[in-house]
Amino acid sequence: MKVISEVTSHGGMQGVYSHESKACNCEMTFAVFVPPQAIERPCPVLWYLSGLTCTHANVMEKGEYRRLAAELGLIIVCPDTSPRGNDVADELTNWQMGKGAGFYLDATEAPWAEHFQMYTYITVELPALIGATFRADMQRQGITGHSMGGHGALTIALKYPDRFKSCSAFAPIVQPSTADWSAPAFEKYLGPDQSTWRKYDAVSLVEDGAVFPEFLIDQGLADGFLQTGLRPWLFEEAIEKTEMKLTMRNHERYDHSYYFISSFMEDHLKWHSERLGK
């Protein structure tokens, strides 16, 4: 693991690191904030998965999480959204595909399968590195994310209910298999058989019997992607048919940007901290 930068903030350490990923077959970069409490004891981990076109840097620079994470004693892990590098396949004129648009799935189709194994990277490879390198209590993990990252957080939590104690999302893509943002990418990554898409689709996972105790979702009602890309009401409808709990908060005048995310970041950190403390 290479240290790109480490800076002190609110008594903790904000670091940016890179390593050679076997899953993605390239060098991957990620950010970790370690609170001051980690000097004395292992701390719970909150994963933040970013959205389309983002890297680890967007939430690190705009998310406004460090002050409260330091107070609550939370390690915040911010992975990249896709493989990077000159050898990595891409569609230069399509921001919804390729670099910056990994969708937290394992691609099966050429040319994407060689590098785009983000599901394995997020669920297997990077957690092993975090657990071995930082003073992280891997028995207490939560997961959250924004947009495409919200999709990733919901789907991963639904498939790993024994690993994660909490899950939330900011403006998630809840049914990517049918959204105009993501369905074309799913076909390119996973092939035309839509039955294989269901394991990366939160609504489909709920319909197929996946269970997680409860979710928190915040959505801005001035979000330009609400009607065709995000459609959180589809997740609400699916959850209503189960015994799972969902706190769905809709906010007038808020859009899809980090102005929205940073406005409610502290609510999410406190929500996760309460559940990770148990």
Side-chain angles (χ1 to χ4, degrees):
M1 191 179 77
K2 300 176 184 176
V3 177
I4 296 176
S5 65
E6 289 182 329
V7 293
T8 300
S9 180
H10 296 283
M13 181 70 73
Q14 176 65 70
V16 179
Y17 310 93
S18 68
H19 70 116
E20 288 297 326
S21 167
K22 292 182 179 179
C24 295
N25 193 25
C26 66
E27 188 173 52
M28 296 291 291
T29 301
F30 63 96
V32 180
F33 175 74
V34 180
Q37 292 88 339
I39 296 172
E40 300 179 353
R41 63 180 184 273
C43 292
V45 178
L46 179 61
W47 294 80
Y48 180 94
L49 306 184
S50 292
L52 284 162
T53 74
C54 293
T55 70
H56 68 281
N58 294 74
V59 67
M60 187 179 74
E61 296 169 356
K62 304 175 185 177
E64 301 181 20
Y65 57 81
R66 276 175 291 271
R67 182 194 62 78
L68 188 57
E71 179 181 321
L72 297 173
L74 293 174
I75 292 175
I76 311 294
V77 180
C78 307
D80 201 348
T81 54
S82 77
R84 309 275 177 178
N86 294 332
D87 297 332
V88 174
D90 195 18
E91 290 188 1
L92 296 177
T93 61
N94 182 5
W95 60 275
Q96 297 165 326
M97 188 70 196
K99 296 177 187 178
F103 281 100
Y104 305 101
L105 52 76
D106 283 351
T108 58
E109 304 299 300
W112 313 102
E114 181 179 358
H115 297 286
F116 284 81
Q117 304 295 312
M118 287 300 295
Y119 177 78
T120 295
Y121 178 69
I122 295 294
T123 62
V124 179
E125 186 175 20
L126 190 55
L129 182 60
I130 296 298
T133 308
F134 300 92
R135 204 165 187 184
D137 184 350
M138 302 304 281
Q139 300 303 310
R140 292 189 291 162
Q141 295 185 67
I143 190 165
T144 186
H146 170 231
S147 193
M148 179 185 72
H151 136 74
L154 295 177
T155 56
I156 290 172
L158 283 163
K159 285 187 281 188
Y160 290 92
D162 294 332
R163 178 186 301 186
F164 295 100
K165 294 182 177 294
S166 56
C167 178
S168 71
F170 301 88
I173 307 171
V174 302
Q175 195 177 58
S177 64
T178 63
D180 63 353
W181 274 29
S182 42
F186 268 45
E187 183 166 5
K188 292 175 183 177
Y189 283 135
L190 301 172
D193 181 2
Q194 296 190 15
S195 66
T196 66
W197 304 4
R198 297 183 69 84
K199 62 183 178 180
Y200 301 115
D201 185 295
V203 171
S204 296
L205 285 167
V206 171
E207 292 174 347
D208 293 344
V211 175
F212 196 81
E214 60 178 329
F215 302 92
L216 168 65
I217 294 178
D218 276 305
Q219 175 64 60
L221 295 181
D223 190 322
F225 306 110
L226 179 59
Q227 297 299 322
T228 58
L230 308 176
R231 307 172 298 162
W233 54 85
L234 298 177
F235 192 67
E236 286 186 279
E237 293 168 0
I239 289 290
E240 285 175 357
K241 300 173 184 177
T242 74
E243 296 183 358
M244 291 183 279
K245 298 179 181 178
L246 169 62
T247 300
M248 181 76 205
R249 307 193 307 181
N250 295 307
H251 305 278
E252 297 285 350
R253 297 180 288 115
Y254 282 93
D255 63 10
H256 199 68
S257 71
Y258 269 89
Y259 296 109
F260 158 64
I261 297 168
S262 62
S263 296
F264 300 102
M265 179 65 79
E266 290 200 359
D267 290 354
H268 284 243
L269 294 182
K270 291 176 182 177
W271 193 84
H272 284 278
S273 181
E274 290 174 1
R275 286 147 184 83
L276 295 175
K278 295 179 180 179

